[in-house]
Amino acid sequence: MPAARADRPLLAALLLLLAGSAGAGEPTLVLEATIPLPDVGGRIDHMAVDLAHDRLFVAELGNGTVDSIDIGSRKRSGRITGLKEPQGIGYLPARDMIVVASAGDGSVRLYAGATLMPAGTVDLGDDADNVRIDTATGTVLVGYGAGGIAVIDPARPAKIADLSLPAHPEGFRHDAAAGRLYVNVPDRQQIDVLDRGTGRQVAAWSPPDLRSNYPMALDGTAGRIAVGYRSPARLVEMKAADGTVSGNVPICGDTDDIFFDAKRSRYYVSCGEGAVDVIDRTPDGLLHRDRIKTPSGARTSLFVPELDRLFVATRAGWFGGDAAILVFRPAS
């Protein structure tokens, strides 16, 4: 039995390779590796990367843990335990510090990257969620509660400011060059735009007949944001200056992460339905290029441009096997 269990991630990878792409022609993403995550049960949430030390950090919400994965050897190298529903995660390279936001107790916990030992806690009180790093200031931005983004100074560590929102924030992005935050607020069916300096709302956009806007991607160079809606399932691209819709295409169901690949001018959309959609931006607009099959429930992902790889998290239970990270290499 132990030997058979060890083979299950390999079986899963083989089946995915055989399934290939749901689109025509050659697949745009090739499954390069499957990294098993033994002893991980329940939902997996977001991921972060430490490029200097070749590590991937995985927030394992249902397991109450964060795993550190050695990308080169494709094995777990360490684990943080005792967390309550870890959701958001970020990495501060200048401090070699991991930031974990947990929904279960509303805490933001910091850990030393070298040892994974605790380095401080900031209590936000309720539903600490997505984490972003403000590269201009070195502060940490965390969405939480009934409507706020906490600004945390990791050096203290302490919350030093609050940015107010009308309801709980989901996916958000920080455009440091423009000095703006773009925030999905699904309970209001809108995208709020905040001035990063003053914290004030400068705009709110609500494309008609679209609900449940959760993930978001930013292409700061082109001045566009892309929002993933679940009802109906659409990828909507907007001009970051004024919210004008520049593209709108159907996508897979239950999306939770979107990333923009600037090298290929395309989006990767990961969905709990069991797919990654590849959407090209063309001179004629957005084009649904490909649909790559994944296990059902594989909602979260991380595209790392510096590695040119897309990491997709899969839950335990598929064919009775371990949870895993699927490593995709863009092929075209």
Side-chain angles (χ1 to χ4, degrees), residues 73-136:
S73 67
R74 296 169 181 165
K75 293 180 180 179
R76 177 191 292 149
S77 58
R79 169 171 281 189
I80 297 168
T81 62
L83 299 165
K84 295 185 177 181
E85 300 181 5
Q87 295 191 110
I89 189 165
Y91 179 72
L92 292 157
R95 297 182 177 275
D96 188 21
M97 184 174 287
I98 306 155
V99 183
V100 183
S102 296
D105 60 5
S107 70
V108 177
R109 298 180 183 273
L110 291 79
Y111 297 88
T115 62
L116 305 187
M117 295 299 292
T121 301
V122 179
D123 291 317
L124 299 183
D126 181 36
D127 198 8
D129 199 343
N130 282 278
V131 174
R132 300 286 180 259
I133 307 301
D134 184 336
T135 55

